[in-house]
Amino acid sequence: MGRLKLQSGIKAIEEEPEEFDVASSTKATLACMINSEIGAVLAVMRRNVRWGGRYMSGDDQMEHSLIQSLKALRKQIFLWQHHWHTINPLVYLQPFLDVIRSDETGAPITGVALSSVFKILALDVIDQNTVNVEDAMHLLVDAITSCRFEVTDPASEEVVLMKILQVLLACMKSKASIMLSNQHVCTIVNTCFRIVHQAGSKGELLQRIARHTMHELVRCIFSHLPDVDNSERALVNGINTTNREGAGLNNEYAFGNRQLENGSINSEYDAQQLSMNLANASVGQAAAGLDEDTIGSGTGKETVPYDLRLMTEPYGVPCMVEIFHFLCSLLTVVENVGMTARSNTLAYDEDVPLFALGLINSAIELGGSSIRQHPRLLSLIQDELFRNLMQFGLSMSPLILSMVCSIVLNLYHHLRTELKLQLEAFFSCVILRLAQSRYGASYQQQEVAMEALVDFCRQKTFMVEMYANLDCDITCSNIFEDLSNLLSKSAFPVNCPLSSMHILALDGLIAVIQGMAERVGNGLIGSEHMPVSLEEYTPFWMVKCDNYSDPNHWVPFVRRRKYIKRRLMIGADHFNRDPKKGLEFLQGTHLLPDKLDPQSVACFFRYTAGLDKNLVGDFLGNHDEFCVQVLHEFAGTFDFQDMNLDTALRLFLETFRLPGESQKIQRVLEAFSERYYEQSPLILANKDAALLLSYSLIMLNTDQHNVQVKKKMTEEDFIRNNRHINGGGDLPREFLSELYHSICKNEIRTTPEQGAGFPEMTPSRWIDLMHKSKKTAPFIVSDSRAYLDHDMFAIMSGPTIAAISVVFDHAEHEEVYQTCIDGFLAVAKISACHHLEDVLDDLVVSLCKFTTLLNPSSVEEPVLAFGDDTKARMATVTVFTIANRYGDYIRTGWRNILDCILRLHKLGLLPARVASDAADESELSADTGHGKPLTNSLSSAHMPSMGTPRRSSGLMGRFSQLLSLDTEEPRSQPTEQQLAAHQRTLQTIQKCHIDSIFTESKFLQAESLLQLARALIWAAGRPQKGNSSPEDEDTAVFCLELLIAITLNNRDRIVLLWQGVYEHIANIVQSTVMPCALVEKAVFGLLRICQRLLPYKENLADELLRSLQLVLKLDARVADAYCEQITQEVTRLVKANASHIRSQLGWRTITSLLSITARHPEASEAGFDALLFIMKDGAHLLPANYVLCMDASRQFAESRVGQAERSVRALDLMSGSVDCLAQWASVDKETMGEEEAARMSQDVGEMWLRLVQGLRKVCLDQREEVRNHALSSLQKCLTGVEGISLPHGLWLQCFDMVIFTMLDDLLEIAQGHSQKDYRNMEGTLVLAMKLLPKVFLQLLPDLSQLTTFCKLWLGVLSRMEKYIKVKVRGKKSEKLQELVPDLLKNTLLVMKIRGVLVQRSALGGDSLWELTWLHVNNIAPSLQSEVFPDQNLEQSTDVAGGDPVSDETGHVPLAETPPEVAAGGG
């Protein structure tokens, strides 16, 4: 508790100096604490013999100076009245520091003094505002780092070392630490590392603490990096002094040597180094190395050391650069020290690198992205660190590999924009090599590499950035493609059970896919990607992007570059088969110019992966002038700046195979030497020197590495061979010696490996990579939108679906199933959003296999098996989820989905309403009054009865049936498990929402809808003539129901579906010979479609109604079975839609259907009902349907089915329709032009003629009532036509074809048929005879003007003559005997009054007069004298010509004729 109060007291001093009491008490407390520390040190010193007694040497000094200074301090501390921060800390620290520095004190004393210093630091009294704090901190660090003591026993030594660590860490963590200089910070780290090194031979605890302290120091130092301003010697506390550019280090200042003999930190240093185990030898050498100039000298030429002044300023970037460089050098030392025969001991391999990598990881974690502000730190990471990471990445130790991967992941997070090629190299040379067993990696290495890769995949933008930066760059490898292939392959269990590795790879794949799926929701950028094409040649290696940070620029640029890269690969393939054709192909795709130029061919060779290096070598070595130019351009694409000759030569010869012929070799090397000398002329006098030396290296390489050469060249031989080649002078011996050893150690491969595989990272390749990284395009950073996902997904979708499917197939745990399902759904989402229909189809096909619904059912209880199979149930739900969510983009996949639905249907697992459509309920409720509703007629017709209520076709209703299938005797009750399984099945099916696929089909895109309809038709199968199995028929019926449902749901898009639906129904109708559920469904479905669609689709009305002609084509037996229902439906159709049917074609179909029913006992009533609806009061009669309706009515009138009363009503409908004709005739005259009116008038006339012709036929009916009613209807139609102007010609036709024909036919019937068939024919003949003169006289005024009048009149007379002579049942008819003369007399009288029948002058003879009397005399001889009583024949002739009345009487209306005459018309 005291300590806590003390702390708050200190703060009080700082914040409220005026409160004297608090302040003074705190001062006193602090004084007490320091006093007690003095006491503690003195107490320990007194225990030691050396310090315990007084010196008796006669010296003046009675006490040792160390004790004196402590006692002097004791006197002072209670006298101080000022605030502590105004007191120089050295005053109260110095006595303790002297003790620490003294080499006379033993370990216990030094330990206590260190503890005291630690406590004083912990009090936080010293901060940046304390007087003289800078000197105090410097002296403090100097004292601690040069601590000396006598080693008495190992344990006490460890304690002191531990306390040194404690104090150093406290220094760095104290508020005053910012006053430390760069130099001091380096010293602290150096000291700490020495202790780490020494701890190797001491206790485990010290080792752990030392390492932990080192970590803490690094964390403490690098945590300040984000606060440093952006300059080379930037300071943590922001104090700026002179700015100095520069890089590198000078070890004199970095880590000074403070080694002292007895009891220094490095006590017994040399002895240890000999006795240490191998692990520590490396740390030892590293530590020893700290004191030499070699560490941190970097690459020699590049480093510019920090100057002394910079190192003595308050600490900032310089010390961080030094420390980071030192940590990297630890890795390099390990690498250089002992990769010898001993190096396979894991302890050695692991210990130091792990320690160094851990420290580096901490530095990067805390420095974060601010590292990029400091070029020297960044370049250390880009080059030295990454080079080492590549090396250690291939370590056999999983621990090291894991740490390397963690560092790279951190670097990716913070610095990826600066590490583009380094990351590419890491993935291709480390991850892709280790994650596959074929490169010899152990299972542990593979697992660690795969885990690392999966971690990368979980970074949302990782794969996109790899694709955009590497796959789409012609000079880089396809890392995205390689990684996604690796994941797919690694997820595939080939001939082995599923392992954690497979699941790991699957996780990676699914992470990538889910990343894409998430981006889909963030707005598609240019979702409809325009295909890239090259219209004209532009140098492909020069393509640049205007703005790498703006997606509008970089997305098209990247896609174009990928297109070029793909085309180059295809070109390479062609080139490898035939170089000439390959170049022609590239010219055709505008990647090379129409007229080849050397530069473009050189760049094709240089930047295209997959070329056959033998062919490239032959081409480049060729003596042809063009090939030589290409060779020089090719050499010009290399950057040999500041490169060793052997490195440059290695890189050059990696790109092609050096030809075998000496001339070709010479040409190639000449081009190389010219380029090398141009860029690195440092030692060489001229390009010839470069050429000769290159030749010499090739020869040395052959000599050293060819097994056939027994006597190998020595270093002296090599140097001797190269005398005087440098412009007559010699090259430096060290230069040649270095070349010699480089070639001996590392062969130049003149036959580089071809294309495939992932290369090793060699030193020369690393140098090349560093060169390239300076010139490579900027790193593109992607955000969370789907810029390139379409292209990426197209590359990986196939293998991904296959991999997930295989894992799903092999998996046995539910969490793995769920992972796979998530993957499937993500794939579906991406496919749909990027409109990749074929991918979605593949996915659906794949998933349908897992539902087990498509497997031929060998299981006894498929429903229970399904309920027990979790995988199948999950797959089923997924299939239907995809169908419901992404149906728009399913094409051929609908077939598989339907197969699943049909299987569920066969198992009786579908909800009852799957096949009904959205509008059914309203239809049923509205139409209950009209006969039996259709929808249910089918279900009941083809669903087997199960002894359960109507719900049996639903889910639960089938359970009882399923559990007692095919058994006579009652089975035992289902077990708990069976019930549970069935329950699970039901829940699964409910989750599927199968019905909504069809009810929601109106929202499907057109193409998908069409494919769904086609799939239904395909699933139904072709109808077979003859017997098909009940199961097939059930399927066909079900499919047809679904087809009709989607047709009705998509009435707005009926045009799309109609053709297919119609053809399918037509097939069924035409191939069915017996009534069955299928044909019933087809016919009534068709009628329902028409009923529902006519109101909405007037333009399709004809098409729809024409389809009903199929009903007319039904087989007689089928038609007979369904006639009544069909008629009810047609009636319903007519009543609902009569106003929508306009065309003759449509009406023809309707009336044909109605006409047929006239002869059908059950159907005729409904058929007549429909006809009545159309014709009554002319409600729906139109010029278009008039004739058709007349024909139909006549069919009903003639039909003997039903009562005669109906025939009479049909005749009334016919005769009543004359009013419509009159109406049309009058309306049209008013509204139309002359021509149209004339045409309409003609049409009306023809309709009227058809009407009377129809009635004429009914006049011959066997039934007297119908016959006579037809006659009176005919009379009405012939005489009641005042409103219609019928041309004379039409009336003549009417007499010929209707009236005369009817009279003749009746006569024939009366004479030829028995009374039994035609009852009371006499009455009919009387009616018919009365009709003749009535019509004749009504038309007399018009007809008498015609030239053919005489012929007509004679026709009338001849009919009367026949009728008076007719014999009915063998004797003449009395009624006719009386009637005919009366009628004739009446007619003659009217003709006389009208002046039609008069005797004319005898000049030309008067045939009408003579012929009339000729016939009349045959009928009734007395008539002439009765009609013309007061004239004989001759007189009449004289008078007739001048008869004044004749003209007028022609116009006397019938009403004005004498009553007795008029009566004759009877």
Side-chain angles (χ1 to χ4, degrees):
M1 289 303 289
R3 179 71 181 269
L4 283 172
K5 283 178 184 166
L6 167 76
Q7 289 254 354
S8 58
I10 297 167
K11 290 194 174 102
I13 295 174
E14 288 171 5
E15 290 159 18
E16 307 167 39
E18 66 280 356
E19 288 190 19
F20 179 74
D21 297 340
V22 180
S24 59
S25 75
T26 309
K27 282 180 213 159
T29 314
L30 284 167
C32 289
M33 289 191 72
I34 291 176
N35 186 46
S36 68
E37 293 304 325
I38 295 169
V41 175
L42 287 171
V44 179
M45 290 176 84
R46 286 197 187 99
R47 280 174 60 185
N48 190 309
V49 178
R50 182 188 300 179
W51 309 98
R54 297 165 177 243
Y55 283 117
M56 307 309 287
S57 60
D59 246 337
D60 294 341
Q61 190 179 18
M62 294 306 288
E63 282 186 318
H64 194 282
S65 58
L66 294 178
I67 291 181
Q68 274 185 343
S69 59
L70 285 165
K71 287 184 173 177
L73 177 60
R74 221 174 198 176
K75 285 179 195 164
Q76 286 178 309
I77 49 173
F78 290 109
L79 305 174
W80 292 334
Q81 294 304 315
H82 305 290
H83 289 303
W84 276 84
H85 68 266
T86 62
I87 296 164
N88 182 351
L90 278 177
V91 177
Y92 51 85
L93 283 175
Q94 192 70 56
F96 296 105
L97 298 182
D98 290 342
V99 173
I100 292 167
R101 272 198 152 125
S102 165
D103 47 7
E104 294 173 31
T105 50
I109 300 170
T110 311
V112 174
L114 284 165
S115 291
S116 301
V117 173
F118 176 69
K119 283 181 190 167
I120 293 169
L121 281 173
L123 292 176
D124 265 355
V125 213
I126 306 173
D127 61 21
Q128 65 262 53
N129 303 318
T130 307
V131 174
N132 200 23
V133 65
E134 196 168 348
D135 290 349
M137 288 303 285
H138 290 180
L139 276 167
L140 177 63
V141 172
D142 287 344
I144 307 294
T145 53
S146 55
C147 165
R148 304 164 191 180
F149 57 93
E150 287 177 359
V151 179
T152 51
D153 64 305
S156 58
E157 185 191 356
E158 284 187 31
V159 172
V160 173
L161 291 175
M162 211 154 81
K163 292 194 170 171
I164 290 174
L165 293 171
Q166 213 177 16
V167 175
L168 289 176
L169 188 56
C171 281
M172 278 314 298
K173 288 191 169 177
S174 84
K175 289 180 183 171
S177 67
I178 56 173
M179 307 312 291
L180 291 170
S181 67
N182 285 306
Q183 175 66 58
H184 281 101
V185 172
C186 291
T187 308
I188 290 174
V189 174
N190 190 10
T191 306
C192 187
F193 182 74
R194 286 168 189 284
I195 296 175
V196 171
H197 153 65
Q198 280 180 301
S201 59
K202 297 185 168 48
E204 179 77 11
L205 184 61
L206 179 64
Q207 282 187 41
R208 292 292 166 92
I209 289 178
R211 291 184 174 219
H212 172 72
T213 308
M214 189 81 177
H215 263 284
E216 285 300 302
L217 282 175
V218 169
R219 293 181 71 81
C220 181
I221 294 164
F222 278 87
S223 63
H224 292 302
L225 186 62
D227 315 327
V228 173
D229 74 0
N230 188 1
S231 65
E232 256 315 316
R233 32 116 249 35
L235 313 171
V236 172
N237 63 349
I239 302 170
N240 271 340
T241 54
T242 53
N243 183 1
R244 170 184 151 73
E245 289 300 320
L249 10 64
N250 184 337
N251 292 289
E252 265 177 62
Y253 309 128
F255 300 104
N257 180 0
R258 304 183 180 279
Q259 186 172 344
L260 287 166
E261 8 6 290
N262 180 25
S264 78
I265 295 173
N266 302 17
S267 57
E268 304 169 37
Y269 186 89
D270 303 326
Q272 277 179 21
Q273 198 162 341
L274 298 171
S275 64
M276 269 189 306
N277 68 19
L278 196 55
N280 296 316
S282 57
V283 184
Q285 291 211 16
L290 296 178
D291 304 322
E292 299 162 12
D293 283 343
T294 53
I295 298 295
S297 56
T299 48
K301 294 171 229 173
E302 291 167 22
T303 51
V304 180
Y306 284 119
D307 66 356
L308 184 52
R309 193 161 49 84
L310 205 52
M311 291 307 289
T312 52
E313 281 177 1
Y315 86 93
V317 177
C319 72
M320 295 185 203
V321 172
E322 296 296 349
I323 293 165
F324 200 83
H325 188 291
F326 162 61
L327 295 177
C328 292
S329 70
L330 272 183
L331 294 174
T332 318
V333 167
V334 172
E335 199 181 299
N336 297 340
V337 164
M339 293 295 183
T340 60
R342 297 176 299 169
S343 64
N344 57 0
T345 60
L346 204 58
Y348 167 76
D349 267 350
E350 276 186 351
D351 188 51
V352 184
L354 268 179
F355 177 55
L357 289 168
L359 293 173
I360 287 169
N361 197 31
S362 295
I364 291 166
E365 280 170 352
L366 289 157
S369 49
S370 32
I371 293 173
R372 67 159 64 91
Q373 259 89 65
H374 307 291
R376 294 180 69 168
L377 264 180
L378 183 60
S379 71
L380 276 173
I381 286 173
Q382 286 170 324
D383 190 350
E384 196 170 345
L385 173 63
F386 237 107
R387 187 176 69 236
N388 287 317
L389 291 178
M390 299 290 290
Q391 195 104 14
F392 282 104
L394 296 172
S395 150
M396 291 302 289
S397 156
L399 290 174
I400 291 181
L401 176 57
S402 179
M403 183 53 86
V404 166
C405 292
S406 300
I407 292 176
V408 177
L409 184 60
N410 272 324
L411 288 171
Y412 169 78
H413 260 297
H414 299 304
L415 300 171
R416 60 181 179 274
T417 52
E418 317 300 328
L419 297 171
K420 174 172 155 182
L421 298 184
Q422 287 87 338
L423 286 167
E424 178 198 6
F426 180 74
F427 284 108
S428 55
C429 302
V430 178
I431 297 289
L432 285 161
R433 282 177 76 87
L434 290 185
Q436 304 174 69
S437 50
R438 62 176 176 173
Y439 291 103
S442 69
Y443 183 79
Q444 283 182 314
Q445 280 176 301
Q446 288 177 51
E447 201 165 20
V448 174
M450 186 58 75
E451 278 168 1
L453 175 53
V454 173
D455 284 340
F456 276 101
C457 291
R458 291 189 178 121
Q459 315 309 311
K460 298 295 180 206
T461 59
F462 169 70
M463 281 299 209
V464 190
E465 289 174 350
M466 291 299 104
Y467 180 76
N469 289 292
L470 303 175
D471 289 56
C472 296
D473 188 332
I474 55 170
T475 60
C476 299
S477 46
N478 292 337
I479 293 293
F480 159 74
E481 212 164 315
D482 292 337
L483 291 179
S484 51
N485 283 338
L486 170 67
L487 288 169
S488 310
K489 279 185 200 154
S490 307
F492 254 89
V494 183
N495 308 327
C496 61
L498 211 56
S499 70
S500 58
M501 187 76 131
H502 296 127
I503 304 298
L504 193 58
L506 180 76
D507 283 343
L509 260 189
I510 288 175
V512 177
I513 291 293
Q514 285 181 326
M516 287 186 185
E518 280 172 36
R519 284 194 290 276
V520 158
N522 302 337
L524 286 173
I525 309 298
S527 57
E528 296 301 326
H529 272 317
M530 294 302 294
V532 182
S533 62
L534 301 177
E535 297 307 321
E536 55 185 31
Y537 167 71
T538 44
F540 58 83
W541 62 97
M542 308 276 278
V543 179
K544 289 278 182 291
C545 177
D546 300 335
N547 182 347
Y548 285 91
S549 53
D550 177 3
N552 295 324
H553 284 97
W554 70 252
V555 174
F557 161 72
V558 156
R559 294 188 69 246
R560 179 184 167 88
R561 222 167 37 162
K562 183 65 180 170
Y563 173 82
I564 290 172
K565 191 171 182 178
R566 281 209 179 101
R567 290 277 153 187
L568 285 173
M569 299 294 280
I570 299 167
D573 200 41
H574 285 292
F575 179 87
N576 293 345
R577 277 178 271 160
D578 180 339
K580 192 174 172 200
K581 283 187 180 157
L583 295 175
E584 283 169 5
F585 167 80
L586 290 166
Q587 285 173 300
T589 52
H590 302 298
L591 284 170
L592 292 178
D594 294 337
K595 185 176 187 314
L596 285 178
D597 66 78
Q599 190 189 19
S600 58
V601 178
C603 289
F604 167 60
F605 288 157
R606 180 80 166 94
Y607 301 121
T608 307
L611 285 172
D612 183 328
K613 294 183 177 179
N614 294 324
L615 291 173
V616 177
D618 287 341
F619 191 102
L620 294 174
N622 204 318
H623 61 79
D624 177 72
E625 189 187 343
F626 181 71
C627 295
V628 174
Q629 289 172 333
V630 171
L631 173 61
H632 281 272
E633 288 288 351
F634 181 76
T637 61
F638 286 85
D639 175 14
F640 297 138
Q641 201 81 42
D642 303 327
M643 247 186 228
N644 283 348
L645 181 69
D646 68 310
T647 303
L649 193 56
R650 286 175 203 281
L651 291 174
F652 188 64
L653 295 178
E654 253 181 19
T655 50
F656 60 93
R657 182 180 177 170
L658 193 61
E661 300 166 40
S662 57
Q663 290 157 322
K664 289 188 176 182
I665 293 176
Q666 177 156 0
R667 275 192 288 275
V668 170
L669 289 181
E670 272 173 5
F672 164 75
S673 309
E674 202 171 303
R675 177 65 175 168
Y676 181 77
Y677 178 71
E678 197 180 296
Q679 291 191 298
S680 295
L682 300 171
I683 294 178
L684 301 169
N686 52 34
K687 64 180 181 187
D688 292 341
L691 174 63
L692 289 167
L693 193 51
S694 305
Y695 245 121
S696 188
L697 288 178
I698 296 282
M699 287 164 68
L700 172 66
N701 189 60
T702 311
D703 175 89
Q704 291 296 320
H705 299 286
N706 190 330
V707 285
Q708 292 167 342
V709 179
K710 299 290 181 253
K711 187 171 182 301
K712 305 289 184 192
M713 192 187 299
T714 64
E715 185 178 338
E716 284 305 319
D717 296 338
F718 178 68
I719 293 171
R720 193 169 53 248
N721 291 347
N722 289 300
R723 279 195 193 139
H724 311 311
I725 64 169
N726 197 20
D730 282 352
L731 287 158
R733 186 181 176 88
E734 315 77 70
F735 175 70
L736 292 172
S737 177
E738 193 184 327
L739 288 176
Y740 176 82
H741 288 295
S742 170
I743 300 291
C744 291
K745 260 199 297 192
N746 198 347
E747 179 185 359
I748 295 178
R749 297 196 173 277
T750 49
T751 53
E753 70 273 8
Q754 294 286 354
F758 301 105
E760 287 180 68
M761 180 51 70
T762 59
S764 55
R765 282 181 186 154
W766 184 260
I767 293 168
D768 186 41
L769 183 142
M770 294 314 297
H771 276 243
K772 278 184 186 161
S773 65
K774 296 187 180 85
K775 298 178 184 172
T776 187
F779 189 95
I780 293 166
V781 180
S782 176
D783 59 23
S784 57
R785 282 180 287 180
Y787 297 113
L788 299 168
D789 287 355
H790 177 278
D791 301 355
M792 290 165 63
F793 187 67
I795 291 170
M796 69 181 293
S797 58
T800 300
I801 294 176
I804 302 176
S805 303
V806 172
V807 174
F808 192 58
D809 194 16
H810 283 66
E812 286 165 9
H813 298 293
E814 203 156 326
E815 60 272 22
V816 182
Y817 297 160
Q818 193 52 56
T819 306
C820 294
I821 295 292
D822 294 343
F824 285 133
L825 288 171
V827 168
K829 182 177 179 182
I830 302 163
S831 311
C833 293
H834 291 297
H835 301 202
L836 296 164
E837 292 86 357
D838 47 347
V839 177
L840 196 53
D841 286 338
D842 288 349
L843 177 64
V844 168
V845 170
S846 200
L847 268 170
C848 286
K849 290 176 191 157
F850 294 116
T851 60
T852 66
L853 297 171
L854 306 186
N855 309 350
S857 183
S858 54
V859 196
E860 276 183 29
E861 296 288 9
V863 178
L864 299 181
F866 183 74
D868 287 329
D869 187 343
T870 310
K871 188 187 294 183
R873 293 201 313 279
M874 289 174 90
T876 307
V877 172
T878 311
V879 167
F880 289 108
T881 305
I882 291 173
N884 276 311
R885 273 189 210 162
Y886 309 116
D888 273 346
Y889 304 99
I890 297 175
R891 300 289 179 263
T892 52
W894 283 123
R895 291 189 174 192
N896 303 72
I897 292 171
L898 276 175
D899 286 341
C900 294
I901 293 176
L902 289 175
R903 178 79 177 132
L904 291 170
H905 173 67
K906 282 175 189 162
L907 295 175
L909 293 174
L910 285 187
R913 288 198 36 79
V914 163
S916 51
D917 58 282
D920 268 1
E921 296 90 340
S922 56
E923 184 178 286
L924 289 181
S925 57
D927 290 341
T928 40
H930 299 284
K932 79 177 178 189
L934 255 165
T935 26
N936 291 346
S937 68
L938 292 173
S939 335
S940 53
H942 70 84
M943 294 280 178
S945 157
M946 290 159 213
T948 50
R950 172 74 190 92
R951 285 197 58 206
S952 59
S953 64
L955 286 172
M956 278 314 295
R958 289 291 172 98
F959 190 32
S960 54
Q961 180 212 9
L962 286 159
L963 293 181
S964 58
L965 219 49
D966 305 329
T967 50
E968 293 299 321
E969 71 283 352
R971 195 187 274 189
S972 58
Q973 284 298 308
T975 62
E976 290 264 327
Q977 287 94 327
Q978 286 177 321
L979 282 168
H982 197 268
Q983 194 53 42
R984 285 194 295 273
T985 301
L986 299 190
Q987 286 166 350
T988 301
I989 303 303
Q990 272 167 344
K991 279 188 210 157
C992 290
H993 302 296
I994 296 173
D995 50 339
S996 56
I997 294 177
F998 302 100
T999 54
E1000 302 296 306
S1001 63
K1002 51 180 167 290
F1003 302 118
L1004 278 182
Q1005 280 188 7
E1007 181 59 27
S1008 177
L1009 177 65
L1010 193 56
Q1011 292 290 348
L1012 173 57
R1014 285 180 185 160
L1016 278 165
I1017 291 166
W1018 171 82
R1022 286 196 66 75
Q1024 302 293 318
K1025 286 217 163 154
N1027 296 332
S1028 58
S1029 72
E1031 198 177 74
D1032 288 345
E1033 190 189 348
D1034 187 40
T1035 300
V1037 170
F1038 181 64
C1039 288
L1040 185 59
E1041 284 181 332
L1042 294 175
L1043 186 62
I1044 290 166
I1046 65 167
T1047 308
L1048 293 175
N1049 268 320
N1050 287 279
R1051 60 186 183 209
D1052 299 330
R1053 300 189 284 181
I1054 183 66
V1055 183
L1056 196 68
L1057 299 173
W1058 179 246
Q1059 191 59 36
V1061 175
Y1062 173 73
E1063 283 172 10
H1064 181 55
I1065 291 177
N1067 270 335
I1068 294 172
V1069 166
Q1070 288 165 1
S1071 62
T1072 310
V1073 288
M1074 292 301 284
C1076 62
L1078 179 61
V1079 74
E1080 180 184 349
K1081 189 74 195 167
V1083 171
F1084 294 117
L1086 186 61
L1087 283 161
R1088 266 172 65 220
I1089 291 172
C1090 290
Q1091 281 173 20
R1092 296 269 293 282
L1093 295 181
L1094 274 174
Y1096 300 100
K1097 292 283 169 191
E1098 295 195 2
N1099 53 340
L1100 267 182
D1102 288 358
E1103 188 72 32
L1104 290 168
L1105 292 165
R1106 186 191 295 134
S1107 69
L1108 292 179
Q1109 291 176 0
L1110 285 176
V1111 180
L1112 304 173
K1113 297 178 184 169
L1114 281 170
D1115 183 278
R1117 285 168 290 192
V1118 179
D1120 192 50
Y1122 302 122
C1123 195
E1124 183 182 0
Q1125 287 148 278
I1126 291 174
T1127 313
Q1128 286 173 358
E1129 289 303 305
V1130 174
T1131 306
R1132 206 183 291 188
L1133 173 77
V1134 169
K1135 288 186 174 176
N1137 299 301
S1139 55
H1140 297 115
I1141 308 172
R1142 300 278 162 75
S1143 71
Q1144 189 170 2
L1145 196 75
W1147 281 111
R1148 174 168 290 131
T1149 309
I1150 296 287
T1151 52
S1152 310
L1153 287 167
L1154 295 176
S1155 304
I1156 292 172
T1157 63
R1159 307 239 177 315
H1160 196 282
E1162 288 91 21
S1164 59
E1165 194 52 51
F1168 186 68
D1169 188 28
L1171 192 64
L1172 200 60
F1173 176 78
I1174 298 168
M1175 292 181 66
K1176 192 161 188 192
D1177 305 327
H1180 294 288
L1181 276 178
L1182 304 164
N1185 67 7
Y1186 185 85
V1187 173
L1188 298 165
C1189 289
M1190 291 311 119
D1191 286 348
S1193 306
R1194 178 176 63 74
Q1195 299 270 8
F1196 275 100
E1198 290 176 343
S1199 165
R1200 308 284 299 260
V1201 173
Q1203 302 296 316
E1205 180 259 339
R1206 193 171 67 209
S1207 298
V1208 170
R1209 282 164 72 203
L1211 288 168
D1212 287 343
L1213 288 177
M1214 290 173 78
S1215 59
S1217 68
V1218 173
D1219 300 343
C1220 284
L1221 292 176
Q1223 196 182 339
W1224 295 335
S1226 61
V1227 168
D1228 293 330
K1229 282 175 194 158
E1230 293 161 20
T1231 55
M1232 295 180 186
E1234 277 182 38
E1235 198 176 317
E1236 275 187 66
R1239 192 181 316 122
M1240 190 63 207
S1241 164
Q1242 185 183 347
D1243 290 348
V1244 169
E1246 283 171 12
M1247 287 188 254
W1248 172 80
L1249 186 59
R1250 291 292 289 270
L1251 168 66
V1252 292
Q1253 281 177 315
L1255 286 167
R1256 170 191 73 79
K1257 289 179 184 166
V1258 188
C1259 291
L1260 312 178
D1261 198 278
Q1262 287 188 341
R1263 293 164 299 172
E1264 178 190 4
E1265 186 186 342
V1266 175
R1267 199 166 58 225
N1268 293 350
H1269 195 78
L1271 272 167
S1272 56
S1273 297
L1274 179 61
Q1275 181 173 327
K1276 178 185 170 192
C1277 293
L1278 289 169
T1279 56
V1281 288
E1282 291 86 352
I1284 311 169
S1285 57
L1286 299 167
H1288 301 150
L1290 201 63
W1291 277 113
L1292 292 176
Q1293 254 180 304
C1294 175
F1295 270 99
D1296 275 348
M1297 294 162 66
V1298 180
I1299 302 171
F1300 292 163
T1301 313
M1302 176 199 65
L1303 290 167
D1304 296 348
D1305 290 349
L1306 282 172
L1307 203 59
E1308 192 180 325
I1309 289 168
Q1311 290 171 327
H1313 290 75
S1314 68
Q1315 183 63 25
K1316 194 167 60 189
D1317 292 337
Y1318 288 84
R1319 293 181 184 283
N1320 196 2
M1321 273 305 290
E1322 189 177 12
T1324 306
L1325 293 175
V1326 167
L1327 285 173
M1329 192 24 78
K1330 284 181 177 176
L1331 180 145
L1332 176 65
K1334 183 157 191 177
V1335 177
F1336 178 73
L1337 288 177
Q1338 185 173 336
L1339 295 165
L1340 186 60
D1342 296 332
L1343 296 178
S1344 61
Q1345 310 296 319
L1346 301 177
T1347 50
T1348 53
F1349 175 70
C1350 181
K1351 184 182 168 192
L1352 177 67
W1353 170 233
L1354 291 178
V1356 173
L1357 286 174
S1358 68
R1359 272 30 177 218
M1360 288 181 164
E1361 194 174 331
K1362 281 181 190 167
Y1363 267 61
I1364 201 164
K1365 293 177 181 167
V1366 72
K1367 287 185 177 175
V1368 182
R1369 281 181 297 178
K1371 57 179 182 180
K1372 290 190 178 178
S1373 161
E1374 288 178 14
K1375 287 181 182 174
L1376 286 170
Q1377 294 288 327
E1378 289 172 22
L1379 178 66
V1380 173
D1382 282 356
L1383 292 173
L1384 180 56
K1385 178 181 177 185
N1386 200 20
T1387 308
L1388 289 169
L1389 280 168
V1390 174
M1391 288 173 74
K1392 172 186 169 186
I1393 292 165
R1394 297 281 168 102
V1396 176
L1397 186 63
V1398 287
Q1399 192 171 14
R1400 307 193 185 272
S1401 67
L1403 289 170
D1406 192 343
S1407 54
L1408 179 68
W1409 179 263
E1410 287 167 1
L1411 289 167
T1412 299
W1413 297 119
L1414 197 63
H1415 280 281
V1416 169
N1417 290 337
N1418 284 343
I1419 297 164
S1422 60
L1423 275 180
Q1424 186 170 5
S1425 54
E1426 285 178 33
V1427 178
F1428 292 95
D1430 43 347
Q1431 313 171 282
N1432 58 27
L1433 289 176
E1434 291 77 20
Q1435 289 167 326
S1436 297
T1437 315
D1438 295 337
V1439 182
D1443 184 356
V1445 186
S1446 70
D1447 228 27
E1448 291 169 344
T1449 51
H1451 299 286
V1452 174
L1454 200 58
E1456 292 174 22
T1457 51
E1460 72 277 11
V1461 177

